[in-house]
Amino acid sequence: KDWKNENPLNGVLTLRSGMKWSDGSPITADDVQFSIQRMKDPATKSIWGPAYTYIQSTQVLDDTTIRITTNRPVAELPRDFGRMVMMPKVAFERLGLQGFLKAPVTSGPFLFKSMVPGSSLTLVKNPKYHLGPVKLDKLIFREVPNASTRVADVLSGQADIAMAVSPSDIKQVDSSSNAKIISTESIERIKLEFMMKTDTRLQNEKVREAIIRSIDPKAINDSLFQGTGGLPTGWMNSLTDGYCPVPVPPYDHAVAKELLKEAGYPNGFPIDMNGQTPSYPLSDQVEPAIADMMSKAGFVVNQIVNESAKDADIYNSGKMKGIRIWGIANTSGGADQMLRNSDINRSSREMVDPTLQSLIEQQQSEFNTDKRRAIVCEINKRVVDANLEMSVLSVPNIAAVSNSVSGFSPSPYLLRRYNTVVKH
């Protein structure tokens, strides 16, 4: 309901009254505190724990009010909390972890019914949802890795919505009388990171620039995304708060080879390229294309693709070497959420640039919006000028939607809301 900053290190969060968990119990400040403490507990091994290292303590003031104390000023904290998942303290402690996973108590527009791991998730309407019951009685998510198969399922009536549609399938959907294409810009980018801590060769800026200049974003966009992706205009894209366009090093194999020679590697060198699945649309085609481009500049690329959880484990352990390519996005457009992955105080295991780190900390603690955006612009420029990371492309957000469905609109921030969807 409300957020107030008492001072730069203390904020008071007030919950809406009358909200309930699906078991009928009230949602309280105790649940907020429990959720934060559980997420930060190292034993939980939450992937979100590193994102909230700045939370020092919490204090429940009453049933709907909680004070959150940070160890440094965090201007974007209210927006950051917009994506934090809350859990019911009493129900979780009563059921235990395994019992809760089998029958989770939730608070959203839909309730958990069943799941087949790696295959499907079935949800049903939540009659106690605080904004009123949704129009759908049931919502089934199916995991279908192949984009063309997802489209075929929509066209045949086996599915109502297919996300992450390949641009090559747009024409097929548009020519059908059964479905339509809905597309938006996307904040999601294909990000290339340099594992500078574990691979000291990548601490040489000329080596990093050689890799960047060996990759042709336009060719990838034209051949794989049919021109629907967004070419890099800096490290961030226009959907991030504080974005400003910055010229990026242009693709040039000859320059890449010369840079490698100047760095002491006239014959190139072997390098790991770490990818994850699922990650972003067409990753199984984008990454081999990048490996081929890099090989022409002299690199011998060892392409590694791990399931996303394993990829995260290797990265978080500090054992990943070479380069890492993955899809990065956030659900609000806040720059600080995106910068978390380059912040050594939170998620980064590879960044070794003190100037960038200082700028990240400055923007995080700047409560004046205009000043914070100016610092974010500096960050964008620093990443590009020092070749610290590469934004390969902005990924298009394309969905195929059955004509029997209305009220669905994919968000540029990859939020998928189904509480307004109607099946005719």
Side-chain angles (χ1 to χ4, degrees):
K1 179 183 177 181
D2 186 44
W3 175 273
K4 290 182 179 178
N5 290 311
E6 295 180 319
N7 55 56
L9 297 180
N10 287 283
V12 175
L13 176 72
T14 303
L15 300 175
R16 293 186 181 95
S17 299
M19 294 190 297
K20 296 182 181 296
W21 295 105
S22 54
D23 64 359
S25 61
I27 298 174
T28 71
D30 285 329
D31 297 316
V32 179
Q33 179 168 263
F34 169 76
S35 302
I36 294 171
Q37 291 175 343
R38 185 174 188 277
M39 178 189 64
K40 287 175 61 66
D41 184 352
T44 305
K45 297 181 180 179
S46 169
I47 62 170
W48 291 107
Y52 294 94
T53 55
Y54 57 74
I55 298 178
Q56 179 171 302
S57 63
T58 57
Q59 179 186 5
V60 172
L61 303 179
D62 58 44
D63 283 349
T64 59
T65 314
I66 181 171
R67 177 180 290 114
I68 297 170
T69 300
T70 59
N71 53 30
R72 57 187 182 274
V74 181
E76 290 276 82
L77 197 154
R79 176 144 61 177
D80 222 13
F81 261 62
R83 55 116 182 254
M84 184 182 285
V85 177
M86 294 299 142
M87 298 183 66
K89 180 179 186 294
V90 174
F92 188 88
E93 291 176 342
R94 182 183 75 249
L95 295 169
L97 175 60
Q98 295 306 317
F100 188 86
L101 291 176
K102 290 179 181 178
V105 176
T106 57
S107 63
F110 295 94
L111 307 177
F112 175 88
K113 182 179 181 183
S114 62
M115 179 174 69
V116 179
S119 177
S120 65
L121 169 69
T122 301
L123 309 177
V124 294
K125 178 189 298 188
N126 179 6
K128 298 184 179 73
Y129 183 50
H130 71 278
L131 295 180
V134 294
K135 297 177 173 62
L136 296 177
D137 292 324
K138 184 183 293 186
L139 186 59
I140 302 172
F141 293 92
R142 291 170 49 218
E143 188 169 322
V144 182
N146 184 272
S148 294
T149 303
R150 294 196 293 272
V151 168
D153 286 350
V154 171
L155 295 179
S156 67
Q158 295 184 58
D160 296 306
I161 299 171
M163 298 302 302
V165 169
S166 170
S168 61
D169 290 323
I170 291 176
K171 186 175 180 181
Q172 181 186 10
V173 177
D174 282 341
S175 62
S176 164
S177 59
N178 300 332
K180 56 187 174 292
I181 289 288
I182 300 178
S183 63
T184 66
E185 289 185 271
S186 170
I187 198 170
E188 183 176 20
R189 295 174 292 122
I190 302 172
K191 179 185 178 185
L192 186 153
E193 296 179 350
F194 299 106
M195 302 296 107
M196 288 184 262
K197 283 189 176 179
T198 52
D199 192 335
T200 55
R201 299 170 302 180
L202 297 172
Q203 292 183 18
N204 188 320
E205 185 178 337
K206 290 184 177 181
V207 171
R208 299 196 301 271
E209 184 178 351
I211 292 173
I212 290 172
R213 284 184 176 269
S214 73
I215 300 169
D216 188 350
K218 186 176 186 305
I220 295 171
N221 189 36
D222 290 345
S223 62
L224 299 181
F225 289 93
Q226 312 293 307
T228 61
L231 295 178
T233 56
W235 180 69
M236 303 176 183
N237 69 14
S238 60
L239 290 164
T240 302
D241 195 22
Y243 157 83
C244 59
V246 177
V248 298
Y251 157 74
D252 192 319
H253 266 142
V255 172
K257 289 181 178 180
E258 184 60 30
L259 285 164
L260 275 179
K261 184 178 178 180
E262 292 174 6
Y265 304 100
N267 300 314
F269 56 78
I271 187 169
D272 289 345
M273 185 175 78
N274 301 274
Q276 58 178 257
T277 181
S279 183
Y280 56 88
L282 303 183
S283 60
D284 59 336
Q285 299 177 54
V286 170
E287 286 160 26
I290 290 177
D292 182 61
M293 290 173 177
M294 289 178 58
S295 69
K296 292 174 182 175
F299 296 97
V300 180
V301 180
N302 174 33
Q303 190 179 347
I304 301 169
V305 180
N306 285 313
E307 190 272 329
S308 57
K310 183 177 180 181
D311 174 87
D313 284 343
I314 297 172
Y315 179 79
N316 290 330
S317 70
K319 296 178 180 178
M320 185 172 287
K321 295 183 178 181
I323 62 176
R324 185 191 195 204
I325 299 178
W326 58 303
I328 178 173
N330 71 47
T331 54
S332 75
D336 191 58
Q337 287 187 12
M338 201 75 83
L339 292 169
R340 164 178 74 83
N341 295 287
S342 304
D343 184 352
I344 60 174
N345 291 326
R346 290 179 282 176
S347 296
S348 177
R349 299 293 177 271
E350 38 76 30
M351 188 56 66
V352 294
D353 187 73
T355 300
L356 177 64
Q357 183 61 33
S358 175
L359 288 169
I360 289 174
E361 291 173 9
Q362 287 177 44
Q363 67 80 34
Q364 189 178 50
S365 62
E366 179 53 70
F367 285 80
N368 181 286
T369 302
D370 291 337
K371 290 181 180 180
R372 184 167 65 251
R373 287 172 177 164
I375 300 170
V376 170
C377 185
E378 285 187 61
I379 290 170
N380 196 31
K381 191 173 186 300
R382 175 64 186 174
V383 172
V384 174
D385 288 351
N387 299 291
L388 295 174
E389 292 180 341
M390 181 186 186
S391 178
V392 181
L393 281 177
S394 292
V395 180
N397 187 15
I398 307 171
V401 182
S402 168
N403 290 336
S404 65
V405 169
S406 63
F408 178 77
S409 178
S411 163
Y413 301 101
L414 307 188
L415 294 167
R416 297 168 189 171
R417 300 188 186 280
Y418 297 91
N419 53 318
T420 59
V421 173
V422 177
K423 175 83 180 282
H424 302 288

